[in-house]
Amino acid sequence: MAVRAAVAGASGYAGGEVLRLLLGHPSMEIGALTGNANAGQPLGALQPQLLPLADRVLEPTSAGVLAGHDVVFLALPHGQSAAVAEQLGDGVLIVDCGADFRLGSAAEWERYYGSPHAGTWPYGLPELPGAREALAGTRRVAVPGCYPTAVTLALFPAYAAGLVEPEAVIVAASGTSGAGRSLKPHLLGSEVMGSLSPYGVGGVHRHTPEMAQNLSAVAGERVTISFTPTLAPMPRGILATCSARARPGVTAATVRETYAKALAGEPFVRLLPEGRWPTTAAVVGSNAALVQVALDEAAGRVIAISAIDNLTKGTAGGAVQSMNIALGLAEDLGLSTIGVAP
Amino acid sequence: MAVRAAVAGASGYAGGEVLRLLLGHPSMEIGALTGNANAGQPLGALQPQLLPLADRVLEPTSAGVLAGHDVVFLALPHGQSAAVAEQLGDGVLIVDCGADFRLGSAAEWERYYGSPHAGTWPYGLPELPGAREALAGTRRVAVPGCYPTAVTLALFPAYAAGLVEPEAVIVAASGTSGAGRSLKPHLLGSEVMGSLSPYGVGGVHRHTPEMAQNLSAVAGERVTISFTPTLAPMPRGILATCSARARPGVTAATVRETYAKALAGEPFVRLLPEGRWPTTAAVVGSNAALVQVALDEAAGRVIAISAIDNLTKGTAGGAVQSMNIALGLAEDLGLSTIGVAP
Amino acid sequence: MAVRAAVAGASGYAGGEVLRLLLGHPSMEIGALTGNANAGQPLGALQPQLLPLADRVLEPTSAGVLAGHDVVFLALPHGQSAAVAEQLGDGVLIVDCGADFRLGSAAEWERYYGSPHAGTWPYGLPELPGAREALAGTRRVAVPGCYPTAVTLALFPAYAAGLVEPEAVIVAASGTSGAGRSLKPHLLGSEVMGSLSPYGVGGVHRHTPEMAQNLSAVAGERVTISFTPTLAPMPRGILATCSARARPGVTAATVRETYAKALAGEPFVRLLPEGRWPTTAAVVGSNAALVQVALDEAAGRVIAISAIDNLTKGTAGGAVQSMNIALGLAEDLGLSTIGVAP
Amino acid sequence: MAVRAAVAGASGYAGGEVLRLLLGHPSMEIGALTGNANAGQPLGALQPQLLPLADRVLEPTSAGVLAGHDVVFLALPHGQSAAVAEQLGDGVLIVDCGADFRLGSAAEWERYYGSPHAGTWPYGLPELPGAREALAGTRRVAVPGCYPTAVTLALFPAYAAGLVEPEAVIVAASGTSGAGRSLKPHLLGSEVMGSLSPYGVGGVHRHTPEMAQNLSAVAGERVTISFTPTLAPMPRGILATCSARARPGVTAATVRETYAKALAGEPFVRLLPEGRWPTTAAVVGSNAALVQVALDEAAGRVIAISAIDNLTKGTAGGAVQSMNIALGLAEDLGLSTIGVAP
């Protein structure tokens, strides 16, 4: 019997990607689709790539419309999820692609988001130690941010094994879909093409405390993050270049073995063979995270690089993967490790 | 029981896309993968987006390696298919993504390709009148060229119904993967990005006689083609802008009804609602062809525009669709109308 | 003594390009810069590429601010130029980058623009027969549209010499800066990159009557235009693919000689040697128009292709070139035929 | 009287950019143009953007052809400059865009380049302390690498003032022209567009010791560099994200004042106002380097970011700037701080 899903925020990029994945998921049936500014429009006018849903009409986002489904995906602006969740009640699985329930620390939340903390839900990064157990059977999932997904997958093996010091330096570039579909001057195609532009420099990006939270948890000590995000001239993809000072005695062989062991068996994270490096093109539309790691002996640093599709593994794929676990389905249902390239 | 397929030319863009689709096809099993210059290399070094096949090693292309499969996809340079086909014999289904067997006229073949004509195989554009019948049960398929696929789907309804005069003017732009993976200076990223460049201008492009063949067949008279291809700064996609002088008495309503009727029921061709136009982004990775049509009354011309993914519907998707028909499988197995966008 | 110029609409793409050219013009001094929505902002926040003007502050657009200059460039939305011009009076040279004064026919204006016709000013395409004479000493210039510039330069030699029939079929693709800097969903980078999208199909684009006006004038008969514009994934550039049925007896040699003769001596239009085709990359930032022409004997059509930078020769470069003529300066002052490539 | 310049390697991207700048330089005359593989071809077939030189024919690179000029620009593969320089003798100014004479340490050269050290020439980064003095009147210039230019300009103020510890972490992304015009599979447009790809990870990129050399010199102690380069989907531009641990007591105000003072008066380096960050689009075709800096107090690091055009300030612009100094011309002749954007 099909699991019935609603998607709130179906006109945005995250919502569209959730729908793309649900269309290919053998156990799912797509129910209500909502969007506030675009309510009343057919999806074909907004997500022309989703032909099978072209004639479906968006409804306004409300608990009434979203009720009566087994799963509700929320792809809403920050701050709106709590109210919806409360109205929907405990019987429904809510998978929140927004930030509201990601951080455990109310203080950090308030510092970075400037609003009251809504709470904390099980965190939808199954690859983290203990995460699958927390997700199994849950009715609430906080899908990680796209940058934290890329960065955590690149660095958690190093921190779990104590290979590096607790100060990580991260420079990550994202395709423009990571900034969403809102109309902002710097997101115009004429501005974006041919340009790399940093933003949120100096530790102010909201994904910073989320990365610190994840890595601190596996490290067992507080990890400090220096994070610089960049907008890159491509629609999809994140390349995260992460490094930290190697602890004394760490060798290239140790690093490689540690990563190989930590990532072994993960269905969606792949440590590449030596000599190959992740590229974002290889994961477009795929739920895979490609990881490679090196020890720079002269600089004394471990360099870990990951590539994901920000909309797939970084948002909607992570959401579906977590949903599968929460519902007791096979974790990889509806997801693939095959990218659309070139 | 799975159908076992081999792919010759697995290191190129067409071969890679065939593999991407076969990996998602529920009835297929992937056998030998070959590639001459890259024989001995793991596929992961060449097609990093195909993670499930990363450890498969390319073998040299030979009849011996390709023998023993139910289906053999050929993604080889022009002129090499006939010899392979002869050696493989009649028992195997051969789906040729190359040009060798597309043209019925030996004279046209020799004029455009400068080599002896190898023959003619059933043409893998199921949407053409009579094509499905010719493909059913066949052991040989000539997959259409990417431009002829886009152009034929845009114009055949007009010619089948006699709406337009037999002189079509076509300007089509393709993503760079249409030019293949060979190392040519004008295909370098530095040259391609930010640039539109025409090529094969003045009627010399090899896809010209193929378009004329298709449209003449449905028109029942000789259709002349003026075709100008352009390389566009994107990896995938073809946008074909086609027009022809409207015959007297043709109205916008007639045009629309004709197209709606001609394309009704086609699983992979969609006439868009009025007011929406095809974009290549909407079909990336999808086997869909989006079509729209208008009558420009002042200029007296019917304008038909189509968008396809040159590697999917334009090559590998068309190949798999034809294979499905040839093998008596459901025509849409392993294929979708869902694009990866944005 | 320097000529003092003001630019109204300095925060947009056309205005920015006018400023880029004026900064390199040896006879010009840059006076007031205006912009309504952005008044009060430093130009460095809006046009960061114009470092020498980074600290200049935008003023609100008004006749008072624009008065007292020798030249005023208007880069305003359609419909606003007439009022400004009237207030500034006859003593100042006004170069209007907008459409208001381009069309001679009030009926055509009203059909395509839906507002009352403001009048007709000397047309800033010096390469047209008689244009330089009309521009010399004028106090009013209507800068041509970007598409009409590209198309007219590609086709006027054929029409002036009567080589082709009076029905032209034009498919042109433009970089996104041609759509301006306004916030529209389809102009977002995520939508534009990797996509070709037609718009204004079926004869409805406002540049259509302008092309017809130009080509009809040189042909001495009414020329019908079928025009399809396309948005291409690049910031700058127009590639115009134009064709028309060749008149009987026209040969490839005639075509070539006609074009060579018509374009000889033009400082900014270059007929390429046989075998080379225009690319938009070659004219980025340049005021050059590259032209190539061929006779497709099988299709019976002359194919003429041009490439320009829509912001330079297509807007601001054409404006400066016309200003030079109007002021009696050397026509190429401040302009070059050197592109920024790759 | 004009200074006569020859360019060896005129068919490549660096050579083409040198020519673009020389064409706009009021004191220069362009003499011999050479290129080995392309000798005999007109420049118009190779550098179509340089219309004024379209009919110039490339000669083979040899001392005989290059002799008799006042300045010779070498844009040759590594290892070829020494022989040419020796043959040309001491009377001519040689500006080497290659790496051969950049490093002072023979041991570092041999470790990274694997060939014997050719020597050390005055280093063409005028902004470094003492560099202008060393360049004045010289007959030999080693033009810096593109990444070292971007990184040194971003970090030297911090190291000169002792603001940070001697371990810098640098992640820089470059447009594809930085990889040159050679035919390599990963440089194909189909591979590059839509993708970010790291390379030379782990301290092995050849520009690493050059950065260390520059920063160590200004720091007065050995600076260790962790450098990760990335190929970005754009033709031009480098964005360098650099950071180092702040020394105790360093404040945001100190950092800003230090940078403002260090960069004051530099004609081509601009510290942006607070709140604005460098983008590569703003410097396309410009010789400017945009710099911004921040103190991340939580992470305890100074973050400095620079954007340059890798072909202009990163190669040919730096070369011309150094030539101007060497010849006693105004340093900014033929160079501008105006980019071509959008």
Side-chain angles (χ1 to χ4, degrees):
Chain A
M1 191 159 55
V3 178
R4 209 170 141 73
V7 177
S11 61
Y13 293 145
E17 185 76 352
V18 167
L19 288 170
R20 184 179 74 83
L21 296 176
L22 294 182
L23 282 166
H25 193 296
S27 307
M28 305 297 295
E29 183 184 308
I30 296 174
L33 309 181
T34 80
N36 280 334
N38 301 295
Q41 288 196 53
L43 200 68
L46 299 160
Q47 309 275 18
Q49 78 279 16
L50 303 177
L51 275 193
L53 300 173
D55 298 330
R56 298 285 296 272
V57 175
L58 289 192
E59 300 179 76
T61 301
S62 74
V65 167
L66 296 172
H69 297 81
D70 303 304
V71 186
V72 174
F73 289 91
L74 301 180
L76 300 173
H78 298 321
Q80 304 189 359
S81 299
V84 174
E86 191 171 344
Q87 290 175 286
L88 290 175
D90 290 342
V92 59
L93 171 57
I94 300 180
V95 182
D96 185 10
C97 297
D100 297 16
F101 297 94
R102 290 175 191 159
L103 292 187
S105 157
E108 290 278 41
W109 173 270
E110 283 158 23
R111 181 174 318 139
Y112 280 89
Y113 290 86
S115 60
H117 190 222
T120 315
W121 288 355
Y123 190 69
L125 193 62
E127 293 82 1
L128 278 181
R132 286 189 174 91
E133 292 73 6
L135 290 167
T138 183
R139 293 295 173 179
R140 295 290 185 267
V141 176
V143 179
C146 50
Y147 286 123
T149 295
V151 167
T152 305
L153 294 176
L155 281 179
F156 89 84
Y159 279 108
L163 300 182
V164 291
E165 293 184 3
E167 297 182 28
V169 177
I170 294 149
V171 179
S174 174
T176 52
S177 63
R181 205 169 190 168
S182 56
L183 294 176
K184 296 177 183 161
H186 74 288
L187 297 179
L188 284 174
S190 299
E191 304 292 316
V192 161
M193 290 184 285
S195 199
L196 284 169
S197 51
Y199 63 103
V201 185
V204 302
H205 192 281
R206 291 170 165 183
H207 285 175
T208 309
E210 192 180 337
M211 297 173 195
Q213 167 180 288
N214 294 349
L215 296 176
S216 298
V218 297
E221 64 179 322
R222 182 174 160 72
V223 175
T224 301
I225 300 288
S226 163
F227 173 52
T228 307
T230 308
L231 206 63
M234 56 191 199
R236 286 181 179 234
I238 286 179
L239 187 81
T241 302
C242 314
S243 70
R245 174 161 273 287
R247 288 227 154 99
V250 168
T251 65
T254 319
V255 170
R256 186 138 205 99
E257 281 157 27
T258 302
Y259 270 72
K261 200 168 155 190
L263 301 177
E266 277 302 336
F268 294 113
V269 189
R270 185 72 54 98
L271 179 66
L272 292 177
E274 290 189 71
R276 291 190 214 150
W277 290 87
T279 68
T280 61
V283 293
V284 169
S286 154
N287 201 50
L290 303 180
V291 174
Q292 184 56 290
V293 68
L295 175 65
D296 180 341
E297 293 183 8
R301 296 183 78 87
V302 170
I303 321 291
I305 299 185
S306 65
I308 63 167
D309 183 323
N310 59 300
L311 289 180
T312 319
K313 180 59 179 163
T315 306
V320 169
Q321 187 181 351
S322 298
M323 175 201 77
N324 285 338
I325 297 172
L327 295 176
L329 303 172
E331 187 176 329
D332 63 353
L333 269 192
L335 299 170
S336 90
T337 58
I338 304 168
V340 177
Chain B
M1 193 159 54
V3 178
R4 208 170 143 74
V7 177
S11 60
Y13 293 144
E17 184 75 354
V18 168
L19 288 171
R20 185 177 75 83
L21 296 176
L22 294 183
L23 281 166
H25 193 296
S27 307
M28 305 299 294
E29 183 184 308
I30 296 174
L33 308 181
T34 80
N36 279 335
N38 300 296
Q41 288 197 54
L43 200 68
L46 300 160
Q47 309 275 17
Q49 79 279 15
L50 303 176
L51 273 193
L53 300 174
D55 298 330
R56 298 286 295 271
V57 175
L58 289 193
E59 301 179 75
T61 302
S62 74
V65 168
L66 298 171
H69 297 82
D70 303 305
V71 186
V72 174
F73 289 90
L74 301 181
L76 300 173
H78 297 322
Q80 304 188 1
S81 299
V84 174
E86 192 172 342
Q87 289 176 287
L88 290 175
D90 290 343
V92 58
L93 170 57
I94 300 179
V95 182
D96 186 11
C97 296
D100 297 16
F101 297 95
R102 289 174 190 161
L103 292 187
S105 158
E108 289 279 41
W109 173 270
E110 283 158 23
R111 182 174 316 137
Y112 280 88
Y113 289 85
S115 60
H117 189 223
T120 314
W121 288 355
Y123 190 70
L125 194 62
E127 293 82 1
L128 278 182
R132 286 188 174 91
E133 293 74 5
L135 290 168
T138 183
R139 295 292 173 180
R140 296 290 185 267
V141 175
V143 178
C146 50
Y147 285 124
T149 294
V151 168
T152 304
L153 294 176
L155 281 179
F156 89 85
Y159 279 108
L163 298 182
V164 291
E165 293 183 4
E167 297 182 29
V169 176
I170 295 149
V171 178
S174 173
T176 52
S177 62
R181 206 169 189 168
S182 55
L183 294 175
K184 295 177 184 163
H186 74 287
L187 298 178
L188 285 174
S190 299
E191 304 292 317
V192 161
M193 289 184 286
S195 198
L196 284 168
S197 51
Y199 64 102
V201 185
V204 302
H205 192 281
R206 289 170 165 183
H207 285 176
T208 309
E210 192 180 337
M211 297 174 194
Q213 167 181 288
N214 295 349
L215 296 176
S216 298
V218 297
E221 63 179 322
R222 182 175 159 70
V223 175
T224 301
I225 301 288
S226 164
F227 173 52
T228 307
T230 307
L231 206 63
M234 55 191 200
R236 286 180 178 233
I238 287 178
L239 187 81
T241 302
C242 314
S243 71
R245 175 160 270 286
R247 287 225 154 100
V250 168
T251 65
T254 320
V255 169
R256 187 140 202 97
E257 282 157 26
T258 300
Y259 270 72
K261 200 168 155 190
L263 301 178
E266 277 302 335
F268 294 112
V269 189
R270 185 73 54 97
L271 179 66
L272 292 176
E274 289 189 72
R276 292 189 215 150
W277 289 88
T279 67
T280 60
V283 293
V284 169
S286 153
N287 201 49
L290 302 180
V291 174
Q292 185 54 292
V293 67
L295 176 65
D296 179 341
E297 292 184 8
R301 297 183 77 85
V302 171
I303 320 290
I305 299 185
S306 64
I308 62 168
D309 183 322
N310 58 299
L311 288 180
T312 318
K313 180 59 178 164
T315 306
V320 169
Q321 188 181 350
S322 298
M323 175 201 76
N324 285 339
I325 297 172
L327 295 177
L329 302 172
E331 187 175 329
D332 63 353
L333 270 192
L335 298 169
S336 91
T337 58
I338 305 166
V340 177
Chain C
M1 194 160 55
V3 178
R4 210 170 140 73
V7 178
S11 60
Y13 293 145
E17 184 75 352
V18 168
L19 288 170
R20 185 178 74 84
L21 296 176
L22 294 182
L23 281 165
H25 194 295
S27 307
M28 305 298 295
E29 183 183 308
I30 296 174
L33 309 181
T34 79
N36 279 335
N38 300 296
Q41 289 197 53
L43 199 68
L46 300 159
Q47 310 274 18
Q49 78 279 15
L50 304 176
L51 274 193
L53 301 173
D55 298 330
R56 298 284 297 270
V57 175
L58 289 192
E59 301 179 76
T61 302
S62 75
V65 167
L66 297 172
H69 297 81
D70 304 304
V71 187
V72 174
F73 289 90
L74 303 180
L76 300 172
H78 298 322
Q80 304 189 1
S81 300
V84 174
E86 192 171 344
Q87 290 176 285
L88 290 175
D90 290 343
V92 59
L93 170 57
I94 300 180
V95 182
D96 185 11
C97 297
D100 297 16
F101 297 94
R102 290 175 189 159
L103 292 186
S105 158
E108 290 278 41
W109 174 271
E110 283 158 22
R111 183 174 317 137
Y112 279 88
Y113 289 85
S115 60
H117 189 223
T120 314
W121 287 354
Y123 190 70
L125 194 62
E127 294 81 1
L128 278 182
R132 286 189 174 91
E133 292 75 4
L135 291 167
T138 183
R139 294 294 173 181
R140 295 290 185 268
V141 175
V143 179
C146 50
Y147 286 124
T149 295
V151 167
T152 305
L153 294 176
L155 282 179
F156 89 85
Y159 279 108
L163 299 182
V164 292
E165 293 184 3
E167 297 182 27
V169 177
I170 294 149
V171 179
S174 174
T176 52
S177 63
R181 206 168 189 169
S182 55
L183 293 176
K184 295 177 183 163
H186 75 288
L187 297 179
L188 284 174
S190 298
E191 304 291 317
V192 161
M193 289 184 286
S195 198
L196 284 168
S197 52
Y199 64 102
V201 186
V204 302
H205 192 280
R206 289 168 166 186
H207 286 176
T208 309
E210 191 180 339
M211 296 174 195
Q213 167 181 288
N214 294 350
L215 296 175
S216 298
V218 296
E221 63 179 321
R222 182 177 160 68
V223 175
T224 301
I225 300 288
S226 164
F227 173 52
T228 308
T230 308
L231 206 62
M234 56 192 197
R236 286 180 178 233
I238 286 179
L239 187 81
T241 302
C242 314
S243 71
R245 174 160 272 287
R247 288 225 153 100
V250 168
T251 65
T254 318
V255 170
R256 186 137 204 100
E257 281 157 27
T258 301
Y259 269 73
K261 201 168 154 189
L263 302 177
E266 278 301 337
F268 293 112
V269 189
R270 185 72 54 98
L271 179 66
L272 291 177
E274 289 189 72
R276 292 189 215 150
W277 289 87
T279 67
T280 61
V283 293
V284 169
S286 154
N287 201 50
L290 302 180
V291 174
Q292 184 54 290
V293 66
L295 175 66
D296 179 341
E297 292 184 8
R301 296 182 78 85
V302 171
I303 321 290
I305 299 185
S306 65
I308 62 168
D309 183 322
N310 58 299
L311 288 180
T312 319
K313 180 59 179 163
T315 306
V320 169
Q321 188 181 350
S322 297
M323 175 202 77
N324 285 339
I325 297 173
L327 296 176
L329 302 172
E331 187 175 328
D332 62 353
L333 269 192
L335 299 169
S336 90
T337 58
I338 304 167
V340 177
Chain D
M1 192 158 56
V3 178
R4 210 170 141 72
V7 177
S11 60
Y13 293 145
E17 185 74 352
V18 168
L19 289 170
R20 184 178 75 82
L21 296 176
L22 294 183
L23 282 166
H25 194 296
S27 308
M28 304 298 294
E29 184 184 308
I30 295 174
L33 309 181
T34 79
N36 279 335
N38 300 296
Q41 288 197 55
L43 200 68
L46 299 160
Q47 308 276 17
Q49 78 279 15
L50 303 176
L51 274 193
L53 300 174
D55 298 330
R56 298 284 297 270
V57 175
L58 289 193
E59 301 179 76
T61 302
S62 75
V65 168
L66 298 172
H69 297 82
D70 303 305
V71 186
V72 174
F73 289 90
L74 302 181
L76 301 172
H78 297 322
Q80 304 189 358
S81 299
V84 174
E86 191 171 344
Q87 290 176 285
L88 290 175
D90 289 344
V92 58
L93 170 57
I94 300 180
V95 182
D96 186 11
C97 297
D100 297 15
F101 297 93
R102 290 174 190 160
L103 292 188
S105 158
E108 289 278 40
W109 173 270
E110 282 158 24
R111 183 174 316 138
Y112 280 89
Y113 289 86
S115 59
H117 189 222
T120 314
W121 288 354
Y123 190 69
L125 193 61
E127 293 82 2
L128 279 183
R132 287 189 174 91
E133 293 74 5
L135 290 167
T138 183
R139 294 294 172 179
R140 296 290 184 269
V141 175
V143 179
C146 50
Y147 286 123
T149 294
V151 167
T152 305
L153 295 175
L155 281 180
F156 89 85
Y159 279 107
L163 299 182
V164 291
E165 294 182 3
E167 297 181 29
V169 177
I170 295 149
V171 179
S174 173
T176 51
S177 63
R181 206 168 189 169
S182 56
L183 294 175
K184 295 178 185 163
H186 75 287
L187 297 179
L188 284 174
S190 298
E191 304 293 316
V192 161
M193 289 184 285
S195 198
L196 284 168
S197 51
Y199 64 102
V201 186
V204 301
H205 192 281
R206 291 170 165 184
H207 286 175
T208 309
E210 192 180 337
M211 297 174 193
Q213 167 181 287
N214 295 350
L215 297 175
S216 298
V218 296
E221 64 178 321
R222 181 175 160 72
V223 176
T224 300
I225 300 288
S226 163
F227 173 52
T228 307
T230 308
L231 206 63
M234 57 192 198
R236 285 181 180 234
I238 287 178
L239 187 81
T241 303
C242 314
S243 71
R245 175 160 271 286
R247 287 228 154 99
V250 168
T251 66
T254 319
V255 170
R256 187 141 202 97
E257 281 156 28
T258 301
Y259 270 73
K261 200 168 154 190
L263 301 177
E266 278 302 336
F268 294 112
V269 188
R270 185 73 54 97
L271 179 66
L272 292 176
E274 290 189 73
R276 291 189 215 150
W277 289 87
T279 68
T280 61
V283 293
V284 169
S286 154
N287 202 50
L290 303 179
V291 174
Q292 184 55 290
V293 67
L295 175 66
D296 180 341
E297 292 183 9
R301 297 183 76 86
V302 170
I303 320 290
I305 299 185
S306 64
I308 63 167
D309 183 324
N310 58 300
L311 288 180
T312 318
K313 180 59 178 162
T315 306
V320 169
Q321 188 181 349
S322 298
M323 175 201 76
N324 285 339
I325 298 172
L327 295 176
L329 302 172
E331 186 175 329
D332 63 353
L333 270 193
L335 299 170
S336 91
T337 58
I338 305 166
V340 177

